[in-house]
Amino acid sequence: MHSFTYHRPVNVKAAQALLAKAKDASLLAGGQTLIPSLKLRLTDFDNIVDLKAIKGLDKIEVKGKNLLIGALATHGAVATSAVVKRAIPALAKLAGMIGDPAVRNVGTIGGSVANNDPAADYPGALLALNATVITSKRKIPADKFFKGLFETALGKGEIILQVSFPIPKKAGYAKFRNPASRFALVGVFVADDGKTARAAVTGAGEQGVFRSKELEAALKKGFKPESVAGVKVSANGLNSDIHAAADYRAHLIGVMAKRAIEAAA
Amino acid sequence: MTSTVTGIGAAVRRKEDQRFITGQGHYTDDIRREGQLHAYFLRSPHPHATIKKIDTAKAEKMPGVAAVLTGVELAADKIGNLICGWAISSKDGSPMNMGPHPALAQGKVRHVGDQVAVVIAETLNQAKDAAAAIDVDYAVLTAVADPAKARDPKAAQIHDNAPKNTIYEWSLGDQAATDAAFKNAKHVTRLKIINNRMIPNAIEPRAAIGDYDAGTDSSTLWVTSQNPHVHRLVMAAFMGLAPENKFRVIAPDVGGGFGSKIFIYAEESVCLWAAKRLKRPVRWTGERSESFQTDAHGRDHVTSAELALDAGGKILGLRVKTIANLGAYMSTFSSSVPTYLYATLLSGQYDIPAIYCEVDAVYTNTVPVDAYRGAGRPEACYVIERLMEVAARELHVDPAELRRKNFIRKFPHQTPVIMAYDIGDHDATLKKALEIADVKGFGQRKQEASRRGKLLGLGYSTYIEACGIAPSAAVGSLGAGVGLWESAEVRVNPTGSVEILTGSHSHGQGHETTFAQLVCERLGIPIEQVTIVHGDTDKVQFGMGTYGSRSGPVGMTAIVKALDKIEAKAKKIAGHLLEASPGDIEFKNGKFTVAGTDKSLAFGEVALAAYVGHKFPTNEIEPGLKEGSFYDPTNFTFPSGCHICEVEIDPETGHTKIARWTAVDDFGVLINPMIVEGQVHGGIAQGIGQALLENCVYDDDAQLVTGSYMDYTMPRADDLPSFNVGTTVTKCPSNPLGIKGCGEAGAIAAPVALINAVTDAVGSEDITMPATAQTVWQAIQKTHRQRKAAE
Amino acid sequence: MPTVTLKVNGKKQSADVDPRTLLVQFLREHLRLTGTHVGCDTSQCGACVVHVNGHAVKSCTMFALSAEGADVLTIEGLANGSALHPMQEAFRENHGLQCGFCTPGMIMTAVDMVKRKGNDLDEETIRHELEGNLCRCTGYHNIVKAIAAGAKAMKSGAKTGKAA
Ligand code: FES
Ligand code: FES
């Protein structure tokens, strides 16, 4: 690991000030992705701004028709939150499927969303649920937030504060794990807000998370497993690696979509 | 012998556990030396390149750096190369082509991860920072990773002295007789087999600390080793790192080995060498990514195999041709693995009149390949047991029945491939396994699963292995550079407590408990009064270490022999004390008794008397009570058994779930059934890992694709079932304890049982290890297409 | 160098550290608590699991400085004096370890598991919960047994360690 200066601001303002001043800085939330990358010298920063001491950023609450999850809420907290389980049970289930228990005790939704790992679980949920990312500067709809591999709409010095999820009628998530890393080889999140159904796919796209046109078109026939049975998902634009060729991933998208709908609540 | 709560056959809870469950274990990386420096290795990013220049000037000036060393300094100090200690000759009698393997590259790198230079600094971060400042000018060469392509005339030439990258072309068995058998065959089953490459992955990474005392000119090395004396011998005699008499090797608690910690590696050699140069302790602990790039890998065979049968299903002959990938350099025992540890077991549990096997060993631009749990025997078992299963399917006979038809039932049995099986009862293990696995109910379960849309499959593996490695003269005649006996010393203290010094090394096997159980059984003393000492060349005079399931049959037998001597001497002393002739003294349950009387002495009393020396003629009987033994086995031991695997496949995803796993093994007499079961579990898990999950992948340019746990699939708890384990017993006739060894059985038997089950479920033989979801899904698609086309 | 102050196994500790220092390095190098192990560099093996403020955490994936003010419990602090924690006892009783290298992380994970999932743990739950812990020796069979037994034993009110 390269050397860096460590900062530990106690509020968002101080964090913003640090980011504005320090060049080459990274935020540190749970660190479950950042620290391994630093250790392997895959990335390095002169300044690390640890958000751990900032209070109140881990709040989970329902406000009106939205579920609001603070950026520093851990996966473990989301998975076990009674509020989340009532509002969007599929989201609690998804959080409980990230990493392993020790990682879930530390990793945060804000960190996961900001990192936009192409095989992470949360980005699919944000897209399918039509969520909004609330930052220190603005509100960004999920459709505009994720910009390809590890890229997001976040600007320099911008800090994610909350994610706001409109509460759907029904939503479901199914993932087929990469056998080695246990990240998503294919994860499909489906949501029905009563009017339209959205389906987002993680793990499979060459450019990261995406909404599946084929699935969403099929779901126009109704939010039920039969609607997606036999849907042909194109392998174009899907990843191929030692664990899964693009055609296998395309096939799995159909299977996981069906299972996500079956599991939807 | 009488069995007690702590004697032979008792499930004694392990003595060593206290320190491990409380975090008090002492692994190599836990040790700190005053003034220690940290080594960090700069490794080649290229699979194959000549080194034009290494510029270390900048790195040397970086903060904290004590030295930057390369192959140039290594050569200047005349440090010898790493060696392979088992000479294998080709069919034509020519010796194997061993290419030079310097601990730091000299002029050329041959695999990704090859050591180019070492930086030694005050802190690890400083060493890493400086390593990044070393400038290496490489001329990149073409590379080859696939053993099947290594001998292509256009392939990269890895070592000058090995034309076409060929190390040897070896054969075993009678070619003419085998060819004749195939001429008479009514049915021939043919298979192409890839035995996938494994990365051992002991959870404790390799580590070493070298230390040098200039005052006494003596060296100490702490190292993660399964055989510290072998380390000392090779480093002293072949590499010239230190004279053997001034060189202590300590292998403290070691966190798993599975073969990978047998070998002598570059890193520990460099630590020792650098410590002497710098007169300060030098330490290194591998990071996991380094383990992937440097720990000797396992398996990696490409094989074509044919089995000839007569009309009644009796085997007539077996013909096997294997290409074995030994990687970029020959590791310590690599040459023996695909030859004498492999082809000699091809007969399996069957009476096969003729066998012929050819093995071509090749260099590739990959990490060296050497023994990994089972070493050669899993590969052999895979060949014969896949052939048997496929033959049964082709002949439409029950696979258990075909096996029964060919079982060896008369012992001893001389196979056509060297081994003389001494004992076994293959019907018994098969029968018990069939019962435990409830094979009778399989049909019903299959129907029930199919109603749920799942595919059920059943696979067998009736394995045999050669353990208790090994009779020295026998292995010597086959090319081994060392003898494979074991030593033991029994030191009885005046208070009657006992220390056992053994050349075996425990890195998870529980010797501190099982060896103590043997002593309890023999001397009738409480287990708390027995201490097992191992892993330190200053304490234990010599030993060959632990691998090949040898610590029970060979290591413990050495202890038995030493205990025999203790008993004999103690009887003499007791005779004097009890005023009876030694011939009339009986020793039982810790008591010396004059036969037919109630005159007796406890073991402790005799021990004390032995040291006091007042009451027996010390001119006839020396005082003290300490005996040693070097035991050389007279034969290999032959554990055998039957594993039955039942899988459930989700045809939509191709995912395989293991529904049931049954293992019935004949290990001879069990010292501690709890520990034996644990060994079986661990072995099966590694076998399942190979067959279902693990795969070391190099791309066409010889870059390592599976370089971390992100891509190399380690078996996790939720990949595996609980195992149903049973045993049968035929006593091993070649050692007094009747034990055969159990460390490798699971890893040998499991892979093929699993693949036999998966291919049964899918209805296609065309599935290679590992049977990942994608592989199985593709096979299912293919059989669907073929069925459709046929309709 | 910045200073970190925290509690480890009930004892207050304070030290100046290079910001790069991971919690596991702090425990092993500074405090010489070497029961916490390092088995990988990708946060997957779980040999390094300790409790931070009562939650299982991979100490290889947290900076020591991030643990400022925290209450850390390691394998060395789990037993209550010479009385082993029921989970430690269960690992011995059920032969849940061989080489012992994964064991501290396994035991710390198991205790956290019981805290979150209760004392009646079925095999499937235990296996699933062990997703972040690798063992190469045991095939997990006896680890699963040990955790089920240890979880039950924890119900009978045995004390847990020096830290909260
Ligand atoms: S060392 Fe922390 S997870 Fe492997
Ligand atoms: S006991 Fe050796 S890794 Fe688990």
Side-chain angles (χ1 to χ4, degrees):
Chain A
M1 198 180 310
H2 297 277
S3 59
F4 56 80
T5 309
Y6 176 86
H7 309 272
R8 195 179 166 95
V10 291
N11 56 45
V12 176
K13 250 211 180 103
Q16 273 180 293
L18 275 165
L19 287 178
K21 205 166 59 191
K23 61 172 205 297
D24 192 31
S26 172
L27 292 174
L28 172 68
Q32 301 303 286
T33 304
L34 179 64
I35 295 178
S37 318
L38 291 169
K39 282 196 322 197
L40 295 170
R41 297 195 171 205
L42 300 174
T43 175
D44 68 287
F45 296 96
D46 294 338
N47 291 282
I48 298 281
V49 180
D50 190 346
L51 301 176
K52 210 154 265 118
I54 302 181
K55 297 243 156 53
L57 268 189
D58 58 353
K59 210 148 141 211
I60 299 174
E61 59 184 339
V62 169
K63 261 205 185 146
K65 293 194 170 125
N66 294 309
L67 169 68
L68 294 171
I69 301 182
L72 291 187
T74 62
H75 309 320
V78 174
T80 53
S81 156
V83 176
V84 180
K85 281 184 183 168
R86 226 175 301 124
I88 315 178
L91 198 60
K93 191 179 139 199
L94 172 147
M97 291 164 81
I98 302 172
D100 57 62
V103 166
R104 290 196 286 276
N105 280 339
V106 182
T108 67
I109 186 170
S112 170
V113 168
N115 189 45
N116 190 19
D117 186 306
D121 298 281
Y122 268 128
L126 265 71
L127 267 189
L129 289 165
N130 200 12
T132 302
V133 180
I134 300 167
T135 76
S136 51
K137 293 190 175 142
R138 57 192 166 140
K139 295 183 174 172
I140 314 171
D143 277 328
K144 299 242 159 70
F145 184 85
F146 299 107
K147 305 239 169 215
L149 303 180
F150 301 100
E151 294 286 334
T152 68
L154 286 174
K156 185 176 159 9
E158 191 168 11
I159 303 173
I160 299 178
L161 304 179
Q162 268 179 328
V163 182
S164 169
F165 296 91
I167 298 172
K169 207 171 125 208
K170 260 182 156 193
Y173 184 59
K175 111 161 134 175
F176 196 79
R177 289 175 167 83
N178 174 317
S181 70
R182 297 290 177 109
F183 274 85
L185 201 62
V186 167
V188 178
F189 201 103
V190 291
D192 176 17
D193 67 3
K195 285 186 261 134
T196 45
R198 290 162 67 110
V201 178
T202 189
E206 272 175 340
Q207 290 308 312
V209 66
F210 65 94
R211 282 171 62 188
S212 164
K213 282 194 226 66
E214 293 104 326
L215 290 177
E216 292 189 354
L219 285 170
K220 292 219 162 82
K221 288 180 272 172
F223 193 79
K224 46 187 198 288
E226 303 83 73
S227 301
V228 296
V231 170
K232 272 257 161 291
V233 177
S234 164
N236 274 344
L238 299 187
N239 261 336
S240 273
D241 56 31
I242 56 164
H243 301 289
D247 67 329
Y248 179 53
R249 277 196 162 90
H251 165 78
L252 283 178
I253 290 173
V255 178
M256 290 302 119
K258 189 183 79 180
R259 293 185 183 178
I261 299 166
E262 280 167 359
Chain B
M1 290 189 218
T2 52
S3 272
T4 61
V5 282
T6 54
I8 288 174
V12 179
R13 301 304 182 260
R14 299 200 321 170
K15 284 161 68 93
E16 45 270 84
D17 285 359
Q18 179 69 23
R19 66 180 185 273
F20 297 132
I21 57 181
T22 55
Q24 311 294 315
H26 277 288
Y27 300 90
T28 302
D29 188 60
D30 299 341
I31 294 161
R32 293 290 171 279
R33 303 292 297 164
E34 196 60 44
Q36 66 183 15
L37 294 164
H38 296 260
Y40 181 75
F41 288 86
L42 180 71
R43 300 183 181 281
S44 170
H46 304 295
H48 200 192
T50 45
I51 299 171
K52 293 201 290 198
K53 206 177 141 217
I54 306 178
D55 186 352
T56 58
K58 202 167 140 214
E60 276 162 36
K61 289 193 208 89
M62 305 251 307
V65 172
V68 182
L69 303 172
T70 69
V72 174
E73 287 79 23
L74 195 74
D77 282 2
K78 298 200 173 55
I79 302 300
N81 286 327
L82 295 156
I83 53 135
C84 174
W86 196 309
I88 299 288
S89 304
S90 285
K91 285 178 279 216
D92 65 6
S94 58
M96 64 185 189
N97 297 318
M98 179 157 64
H101 186 190
L104 293 171
Q106 290 171 346
K108 202 174 178 192
V109 286
R110 295 179 173 88
H111 67 88
V112 170
D114 210 351
Q115 310 73 225
V116 174
V118 63
V119 180
I120 294 153
E122 298 292 337
T123 72
L124 185 57
N125 272 324
Q126 288 170 334
K128 282 190 184 185
D129 290 341
I134 298 176
D135 195 8
V136 187
D137 191 0
Y138 293 104
V140 176
L141 303 167
T142 58
V144 60
D146 182 349
K149 292 184 187 147
R151 290 187 305 162
D152 188 320
K154 287 198 289 280
Q157 174 72 32
I158 299 167
H159 288 280
D160 294 342
N161 64 339
K164 285 171 73 186
N165 296 319
T166 304
I167 301 170
Y168 51 71
E169 294 174 334
W170 175 89
S171 72
L172 185 67
D174 186 335
Q175 184 170 23
T178 308
D179 288 347
F182 275 82
K183 283 214 181 78
N184 297 327
K186 275 275 147 357
H187 182 85
V188 176
T189 293
R190 294 190 172 86
L191 283 177
K192 293 250 178 276
I193 292 168
I194 292 177
N195 205 290
N196 49 327
R197 188 180 177 105
M198 298 284 93
I199 304 181
N201 274 305
I203 301 298
E204 180 205 23
R206 288 193 296 113
I209 307 168
D211 204 349
Y212 177 72
D213 180 345
T216 56
D217 181 35
S218 60
S219 300
T220 306
L221 176 71
W222 288 263
V223 62
T224 47
S225 172
Q226 299 178 218
N227 33 232
H229 293 90
V230 178
H231 258 85
R232 187 178 65 157
L233 175 64
V234 171
M235 293 174 121
F238 295 93
M239 304 181 72
L241 284 160
E244 205 173 4
N245 59 323
K246 292 183 172 185
F247 181 18
R248 177 182 188 187
V249 177
I250 303 170
D253 286 331
V254 173
F258 317 110
S260 69
K261 292 171 182 169
I262 297 172
F263 321 119
I264 289 77
Y265 288 94
E267 291 84 0
E268 55 253 31
S269 312
V270 168
C271 283
L272 191 69
W273 167 58
K276 194 166 181 174
R277 276 180 74 105
L278 298 168
K279 310 261 185 304
R280 282 177 69 181
V282 175
R283 65 181 302 124
W284 170 81
T285 297
E287 295 177 1
R288 183 56 57 186
S289 45
E290 292 184 285
S291 311
F292 275 93
Q293 293 182 8
T294 63
D295 291 7
H297 292 178
R299 320 282 191 252
D300 208 349
H301 286 193
V302 180
T303 294
S304 49
E306 303 165 281
L307 188 72
L309 300 114
D310 72 10
K314 279 284 294 165
I315 305 169
L316 299 173
L318 170 64
R319 203 157 47 196
V320 178
K321 166 100 209 191
T322 292
I323 302 172
N325 188 354
L326 294 194
Y329 302 99
M330 294 188 73
S331 171
T332 317
F333 290 113
S334 59
S335 54
S336 65
V337 177
T339 50
Y340 290 111
L341 292 175
Y342 166 65
T344 53
L345 270 305
L346 283 169
S347 193
Q349 298 188 346
Y350 314 113
D351 184 1
I352 305 182
I355 298 176
Y356 181 65
C357 176
E358 289 182 331
V359 178
D360 298 342
V362 297
Y363 285 118
T364 59
N365 295 108
T366 63
V367 173
V369 177
D370 206 325
Y372 166 63
R373 201 170 193 168
R377 291 151 292 169
E379 295 92 312
C381 180
Y382 194 89
V383 169
I384 184 67
E385 290 303 296
R386 269 301 280 152
L387 284 167
M388 289 304 277
E389 200 88 359
V390 175
R393 288 172 193 165
E394 289 174 349
L395 297 168
H396 303 288
V397 300
D398 174 26
E401 195 44 47
L402 186 69
R403 287 178 166 86
R404 260 190 221 109
K405 197 166 272 171
N406 288 285
F407 276 162
I408 294 163
R409 292 194 177 80
K410 277 230 313 270
F411 295 93
H413 173 91
Q414 178 62 53
T415 72
V417 278
I418 299 179
M419 290 300 169
Y421 298 160
D422 51 6
I423 201 164
D425 185 346
H426 306 319
D427 289 292
T429 48
L430 175 61
K431 180 160 174 281
K432 192 163 179 185
L434 288 168
E435 283 164 17
I436 297 178
D438 185 22
V439 170
K440 277 211 188 86
F442 175 73
Q444 228 180 359
R445 293 195 295 277
K446 191 173 170 81
Q447 277 179 12
E448 183 273 327
S450 117
R451 280 196 289 278
R452 289 184 286 116
K454 300 290 193 299
L455 307 171
L456 226 58
L458 194 72
Y460 295 84
S461 164
T462 51
Y463 76 92
I464 191 161
E465 51 169 333
C467 294
I469 288 172
S472 296
V475 295
S477 72
L478 305 178
V482 288
L484 288 171
W485 45 265
E486 193 46 90
S487 79
E489 188 177 315
V490 178
R491 293 182 184 169
V492 180
N493 297 316
T495 55
S497 63
V498 171
E499 285 145 43
I500 302 288
L501 288 75
T502 168
S504 299
H505 183 276
S506 184
H507 31 280
Q509 294 86 342
H511 296 167
E512 289 170 44
T513 305
T514 48
F515 288 13
Q517 283 179 257
L518 166 61
V519 178
C520 287
E521 178 86 23
R522 283 293 303 269
L523 301 183
I525 59 173
I527 199 159
E528 300 74 44
Q529 291 186 18
V530 185
T531 300
I532 309 299
V533 178
H534 67 103
D536 184 340
T537 60
D538 261 14
K539 293 181 180 161
V540 179
Q541 187 250 330
F542 209 95
M544 294 310 298
T546 290
Y547 39 83
S549 305
R550 66 191 305 276
S551 302
V554 189
M556 286 181 93
T557 302
I559 298 173
V560 169
K561 300 281 177 195
L563 285 169
D564 287 345
K565 294 182 193 171
I566 291 282
E567 186 177 319
K569 180 170 179 186
K571 272 182 176 166
K572 278 195 212 160
I573 295 170
H576 283 281
L577 302 178
L578 294 165
E579 292 165 341
S581 103
D584 290 338
I585 303 285
E586 286 172 351
F587 182 57
K588 237 169 95 185
N589 299 331
K591 265 191 181 157
F592 296 90
T593 311
V594 183
T597 75
D598 58 0
K599 286 209 301 185
S600 73
L601 284 169
F603 178 74
E605 295 177 275
V606 177
L608 184 61
Y611 284 93
V612 175
H614 294 173
K615 294 199 175 139
F616 55 90
T618 52
N619 56 344
E620 280 171 34
I621 308 170
E622 289 178 12
L625 199 49
K626 180 189 90 162
E627 298 289 350
S629 162
F630 284 73
Y631 169 70
D632 197 23
T634 53
N635 193 359
F636 292 85
T637 64
F638 299 96
S640 64
C642 174
H643 286 219
I644 300 178
C645 166
E646 190 171 315
V647 295
E648 179 178 307
I649 291 174
D650 173 1
E652 281 190 332
T653 61
H655 180 260
T656 298
K657 185 179 131 200
I658 298 166
R660 285 164 185 245
W661 196 285
T662 305
V664 175
D665 301 288
D666 178 355
F667 297 132
V669 173
L670 308 183
I671 305 294
N672 183 326
M674 175 192 82
I675 287 177
V676 169
E677 273 190 22
Q679 288 292 312
V680 173
H681 297 156
I684 297 173
Q686 275 170 320
I688 292 174
Q690 167 163 29
L692 195 61
L693 305 162
E694 299 177 47
N695 198 23
C696 170
V697 179
Y698 280 93
D699 68 14
D700 289 342
D701 299 324
Q703 283 288 344
L704 179 61
V705 178
T706 50
S708 82
Y709 289 150
M710 297 301 281
D711 285 305
Y712 186 87
T713 310
M714 286 286 280
R716 289 181 174 84
D718 61 0
D719 293 315
L720 303 173
S722 283
F723 310 112
N724 299 311
V725 176
T727 52
T728 61
V729 178
T730 59
K731 275 193 179 186
C732 177
S734 70
N735 64 64
L737 293 166
I739 59 182
K740 300 184 185 179
C742 65
E744 295 158 292
I748 291 168
V752 68
L754 189 129
I755 293 297
N756 284 340
V758 171
T759 50
D760 179 48
V762 175
S764 158
E765 304 303 344
D766 201 11
I767 292 174
T768 51
M769 298 191 287
T772 62
Q774 170 169 251
T775 301
V776 172
W777 180 77
Q778 283 166 341
I780 292 172
Q781 301 309 305
K782 204 166 146 196
T783 47
H784 273 308
R785 280 196 299 273
Q786 282 162 352
R787 249 176 238 152
K788 276 219 181 109
E791 274 162 17
Chain C
M1 278 199 285
T3 307
V4 62
T5 305
L6 73 176
K7 226 195 227 177
V8 178
N9 299 334
K11 214 168 122 193
K12 199 174 151 192
Q13 302 283 359
S14 194
D16 294 344
V17 295
D18 179 326
R20 290 178 278 189
T21 309
L22 299 164
L23 179 57
V24 67
Q25 291 166 333
F26 180 76
L27 296 170
R28 288 180 57 82
E29 315 291 334
H30 290 250
L31 304 183
R32 297 295 290 131
L33 293 169
T34 55
T36 303
H37 297 151
V38 175
C40 76
D41 43 20
T42 50
S43 310
Q44 279 161 312
C45 75
C48 62
V49 169
V50 300
H51 294 184
V52 175
N53 297 326
H55 297 294
V57 158
K58 291 186 162 170
S59 62
C60 71
T61 315
M62 178 182 256
F63 291 121
L65 288 170
S66 288
E68 174 69 29
D71 202 339
V72 176
L73 179 67
T74 74
I75 189 71
E76 288 92 344
L78 193 62
N80 192 1
S82 63
L84 290 178
H85 184 281
M87 193 58 79
Q88 291 172 311
E89 197 59 69
F91 267 70
R92 168 158 57 195
E93 188 53 33
N94 292 280
H95 189 30
L97 61 147
Q98 290 181 23
C99 79
F101 198 78
C102 72
T103 310
M106 286 285 177
I107 291 176
M108 298 311 283
T109 297
V111 172
D112 177 73
M113 192 188 305
V114 177
K115 279 193 187 163
R116 288 181 297 104
K117 298 272 164 180
N119 299 83
D120 280 312
L121 297 171
D122 60 28
E123 177 173 347
E124 201 188 321
T125 305
I126 297 171
R127 287 186 180 274
H128 179 63
E129 285 282 322
L130 286 178
E131 193 167 2
N133 293 74
L134 297 177
C135 173
R136 194 52 151 172
C137 298
T138 64
Y140 305 99
H141 181 112
N142 285 338
I143 290 179
V144 172
K145 261 172 61 185
I147 293 175
K152 285 218 168 61
M154 278 170 71
K155 197 193 232 154
S156 12
K159 306 249 173 345
T160 50
K162 289 173 195 154

